[in-house]
């Protein structure tokens, strides 16, 4: 049991951990997946607290960071790791800054509605998202073997051009980043988003077979796979009603919602 002033660590199974930031309004989850030879950290959180102090307590294996997408709340601690992968279509944002979001807006969002004390090192007025060159790229359909555990990458654009989901083939966990989660709307209304791509990506993940649990990067930790059946119905509804375009607002379904 790891106790920390900022992060909440929840064990999913013997080799899978959620590292959550419930004190921030975004309720961000990063995920540590441990294999026999290496570990994968899916995203690195907000950057308010040092996530490596948590991962160092959970594994001694070398850690590969796989980025679901390049938004500030998912790359906050990338500078604490040597090996970072991202989809090529988000690589420019990682190296040169996040398109369509000003630093002023990012600082407002990172510093608001925080409900627990933050580390003394955090200052929202000077907060700057990580920028740097990735170690390499992950591609659609790529299988990552970390030793007795295999992960497959799905390129699922829409929320960002290079957004990916990761399916843990071994344990049948589907990590959906910001493509699918509950409680608050999935965002596809920024100029840098693409509503058509997002709905196509939702349709794609709804067809993944034998999912045992869905892990989005915000809000409730772990959704039942039946939500994928609802996703199929939602995609059909949105397309038939010609709602897949900017400005049509929030569309609510059983267990999730989308904002265009």
């Amino acid at each position: 049991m790891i106790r920390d002033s900022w992060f909440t660590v929840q064990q999913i199974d013997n080799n899978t951990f959620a590292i959550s930031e419930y004190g921030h309004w975004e309720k961000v989850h990063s995920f540590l997946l441990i294999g026999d030879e290496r570990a994968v950290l899916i995203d690195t959180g907000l950057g308010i607290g040092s996530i490596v102090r948590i991962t160092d307590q959970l594994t001694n294996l070398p850690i590969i960071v796989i980025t679901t997408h390049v938004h500030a709340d998912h790359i906050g601690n990338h500078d604490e790791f040597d090996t970072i992968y991202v989809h090529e279509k988000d690589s420019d944002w990682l190296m040169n800054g996040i398109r369509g979001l000003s630093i002023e807006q990012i600082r407002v969002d990172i510093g608001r509605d925080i409900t627990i004390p933050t580390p003394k090192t955090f200052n929202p007025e000077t907060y700057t998202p990580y920028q740097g060159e990735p170690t390499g790229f992950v591609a659609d359909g790529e299988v990552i073997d970390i030793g007795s555990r295999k992960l497959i990458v799905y390129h699922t654009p829409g929320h960002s051009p290079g957004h990916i989901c990761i399916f843990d083939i071994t344990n049948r966990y589907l990590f959906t980043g910001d493509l699918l989660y509950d409680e608050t709307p999935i965002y596809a209304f920024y100029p840098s988003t693409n509503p058509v791509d997002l709905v196509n990506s939702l349709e794609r993940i709804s067809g993944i077979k034998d999912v045992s649990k869905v892990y989005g990067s915000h809000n409730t930790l772990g959704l039942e796979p039946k939500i994928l059946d609802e996703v199929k119905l939602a995609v059909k509804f949105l397309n038939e009603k010609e709602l897949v375009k900017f400005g049509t607002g929030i569309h609510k379904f059983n267990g999730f919602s989308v904002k265009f």
Side-chain angles (χ1 to χ4, degrees):
M1 188 73 175
I2 295 175
R3 296 192 179 278
D4 187 84
S5 60
W6 179 251
F7 295 101
T8 299
V9 180
Q10 296 163 94
Q11 187 167 4
I12 294 170
D13 63 36
N14 288 340
N15 294 303
T16 310
F17 297 87
I19 305 170
S20 306
E21 300 176 74
Y22 288 117
H24 191 271
W25 64 275
E26 293 200 79
K27 296 182 174 60
V28 179
H29 308 297
S30 304
F31 298 95
L32 183 67
L33 284 54
I34 301 172
D36 289 343
E37 299 167 3
R38 299 179 291 175
V40 160
L41 181 61
I42 301 175
D43 295 337
T44 62
L46 289 153
I48 290 175
S50 169
I51 203 169
V52 77
R53 74 169 181 252
I54 303 298
T55 59
D56 279 351
Q57 296 178 70
L58 295 172
T59 185
N60 294 318
L61 292 171
I63 293 175
I64 304 163
V65 171
I66 299 181
T67 314
T68 61
H69 63 292
V70 178
H71 281 159
D73 52 321
H74 296 263
I75 61 170
N77 288 292
H78 271 35
D79 61 339
E80 296 185 325
F81 300 92
D82 295 326
T83 308
I84 296 168
Y85 287 88
V86 65
H87 191 277
E88 188 171 11
K89 289 191 174 180
D90 266 14
S91 61
D92 178 67
W93 293 9
L94 191 70
M95 292 185 285
N96 300 311
I98 301 161
R99 188 174 142 208
L101 286 174
S102 69
I103 186 62
E104 291 80 13
Q105 186 61 53
I106 289 170
R107 285 173 177 168
V108 168
D109 288 341
I110 204 77
R112 69 178 174 88
D113 300 331
I114 296 174
T115 57
I116 63 175
T118 58
K120 292 179 180 178
T121 53
F122 172 64
N123 181 355
E125 294 180 3
T126 58
Y127 176 90
T128 303
Y130 171 85
Q131 283 182 226
E133 194 165 335
T135 306
F137 303 131
V138 289
D140 185 59
E142 181 176 349
V143 176
I144 300 165
D145 190 340
I146 58 175
S148 299
R149 190 171 193 176
K150 292 184 178 180
L151 318 173
I152 187 167
V153 175
Y154 287 84
H155 179 215
T156 51
H159 185 68
S160 76
H163 189 286
I164 62 169
C165 294
I166 298 165
F167 184 48
D168 179 346
I169 302 169
T170 307
N171 295 291
R172 299 183 292 118
Y173 303 146
L174 177 60
F175 298 93
T176 54
D178 280 8
L179 177 61
L180 180 62
Y181 49 77
D182 69 352
E183 294 184 2
T184 54
I186 297 156
Y187 288 172
F189 62 90
Y190 296 134
S192 57
T193 62
N194 186 311
V196 172
D197 282 351
L198 185 129
V199 169
N200 288 340
S201 292
L202 283 170
E203 183 173 30
R204 187 179 185 201
I205 66 163
S206 73
I208 298 174
K209 304 296 184 186
D210 300 321
V211 174
S212 64
K213 207 81 168 181
V214 176
Y215 290 99
S217 289
H218 298 275
N219 303 326
T220 300
L221 179 65
L223 304 173
E224 295 302 320
K226 63 184 179 182
I227 197 170
L228 298 176
D229 294 329
E230 184 66 18
V231 167
K232 290 178 184 177
L233 296 174
V235 166
K236 185 173 184 291
F237 174 84
L238 290 167
N239 283 325
E240 287 180 349
K241 300 295 183 181
E242 298 183 353
L243 295 169
V244 187
K245 53 191 174 185
F246 288 129
T248 62
I250 298 174
H251 308 286
K252 296 181 180 180
F253 303 99
N254 186 18
F256 73 101
S257 60
V258 183
K259 183 177 180 180
F260 295 134

